[in-house]
Amino acid sequence: MRIASILVRDTPALGVKTDRGMVDVTALDATVGSSLRALLERGPEALASLARRAAEAPERFLLAPSAFRYRTLLPEPGKFLCLGLNYVAHASEATYETPRHPVVFTRLPSSLLAHEEPLVVPTCSEQLDYEAELAVVVGRAGRNIPKARALEWVAGYTLFNDGSIRDYQKRTHQWTIGKNFDGTGPLGPELVTPDELPEGARDLRIQMRVNGELLQDATTSDMIFDVATVLADLSEAMTLQPGDVIAMGTPSGVGAARKPPRFLRAGDVCEVSVERIGVLRNPVVSAAK
């Protein structure tokens, strides 16, 4: 199943993307609500029921492409945790040693945006960089999750572009400021449930294109720490909750490592793609001065 947070006539809703098109499941059943996080908090049975309802939905609940637009998939996750340096080649191009443990930092909700919304080059810097990433969405609460069973805690997978203001990121050893500018973290467009993908979303091709040019190209099997390892590791420290998001790091090919550097400019278009999950597309604009 593919679940989206959408706007229908500027009203928040949830949609399920099917072979017939996007089903407005909020209109189909008002008890579904418009919050993906709240839906996940109801447990796996709620998702299973939603899949059945969407498959059987009458034609009147199908939305034409022009009748809706995407919202940020999870606009207010309880936690948004990101991995740095989780691909060997990227750690090398960033001049870091290969990490022995997951390198973790946080994203704030104010930095997130939706599929097709503009990535923003801030007025204070010209070093907005792209990072194609697979993101994991947690489906149920868990602490001290055993690695052997960790994938049972996954609600699904989506796409993330970890837009980074490199000069601000490198001001200190902590990356938080450079990773949290407003309008730099596209997330979506849909949550793809695990039954549609290989176990742990392994062996899927991950790419970044800017203006159609292929700039990042790897597979999710190149990750140093896989999904199960990361879930188990993080849950040693904190209780993971439904709707939490974990971005799994980016492969090599980022703009800052290119010679000369290739930072994003107004007019560019970024496209993150992961095989069998989809494409996350965002134009780039300059912040109003």
Side-chain angles (χ1 to χ4, degrees):
M1 181 168 57
R2 294 169 178 263
I3 310 169
S5 296
I6 58 176
L7 286 170
V8 182
R9 293 184 291 277
D10 293 324
T11 300
L14 291 180
V16 171
K17 189 176 182 181
T18 70
D19 292 340
R20 297 183 297 152
M22 185 70 77
V23 177
D24 183 347
V25 290
T26 300
L28 178 67
D29 181 353
T31 66
V32 169
S34 60
S35 166
L36 178 55
R37 179 179 171 184
L39 179 67
L40 294 174
E41 288 171 347
R42 299 180 201 172
E45 299 80 10
L47 291 187
S49 174
L50 188 66
R52 291 191 298 269
R53 296 290 305 280
E56 299 167 355
E59 293 290 322
R60 68 180 182 276
F61 294 105
L62 290 175
L63 296 168
S66 61
F68 73 94
R69 56 190 174 94
Y70 286 92
R71 294 184 289 139
T72 304
L73 185 64
L74 284 147
E76 294 185 352
K79 291 184 281 295
F80 197 118
L81 305 171
C82 303
L83 268 63
L85 312 174
N86 197 31
Y87 289 73
V88 173
H90 175 55
S92 176
E93 72 177 359
T95 67
Y96 287 93
E97 294 182 2
T98 302
R100 297 173 58 190
H101 304 282
V103 176
V104 182
F105 59 94
T106 60
R107 268 274 183 180
L108 303 177
S110 56
S111 71
L112 302 178
L113 62 148
H115 174 65
E116 297 288 6
E117 287 187 331
L119 268 163
V120 180
V121 181
T123 57
C124 60
S125 174
E126 295 183 347
Q127 294 192 16
L128 173 60
D129 206 348
Y130 53 83
E131 292 191 3
E133 305 204 11
L134 171 75
V136 180
V137 178
V138 177
R140 58 190 179 106
R143 178 80 193 276
N144 294 316
I145 297 169
K147 179 179 175 181
R149 296 182 52 210
L151 296 181
E152 297 174 21
W153 273 259
V154 176
Y157 300 89
T158 191
L159 307 177
F160 182 57
N161 186 351
D162 187 20
S164 306
I165 309 301
R166 294 299 188 195
D167 47 351
Y168 278 73
Q169 179 186 346
K170 294 178 180 179
R171 283 183 170 187
T172 70
H173 294 296
Q174 297 292 328
W175 299 344
T176 302
I177 292 296
K179 295 287 191 175
N180 278 286
F181 273 61
D182 288 354
T184 59
L187 179 70
E190 294 126 13
L191 175 77
V192 180
T193 51
D195 57 296
E196 295 205 11
L197 302 171
E199 186 177 68
R202 292 186 61 82
D203 255 341
L204 299 176
R205 196 169 188 184
I206 179 170
Q207 298 179 321
M208 168 65 79
R209 286 181 168 81
V210 178
N211 304 332
E213 180 184 1
L214 182 61
L215 297 180
Q216 291 183 283
D217 190 9
T219 80
T220 55
S221 293
D222 295 334
M223 292 188 296
I224 300 168
F225 305 105
D226 63 13
V227 173
T229 299
V230 171
L231 286 169
D233 189 272
L234 292 174
S235 72
E236 290 178 350
M238 65 193 77
T239 301
L240 298 178
Q241 299 285 358
D244 287 351
V245 180
I246 303 165
M248 295 294 297
T250 197
S252 62
V254 298
R258 294 180 174 272
K259 301 186 185 306
R262 169 64 163 93
F263 295 117
L264 297 172
R265 297 287 180 262
D268 288 343
V269 177
C270 288
E271 293 179 310
V272 178
S273 64
V274 174
E275 182 183 6
R276 296 172 64 175
I277 295 180
V279 177
L280 172 64
R281 181 183 302 104
N282 297 88
V284 181
V285 300
S286 292
K289 294 184 184 296

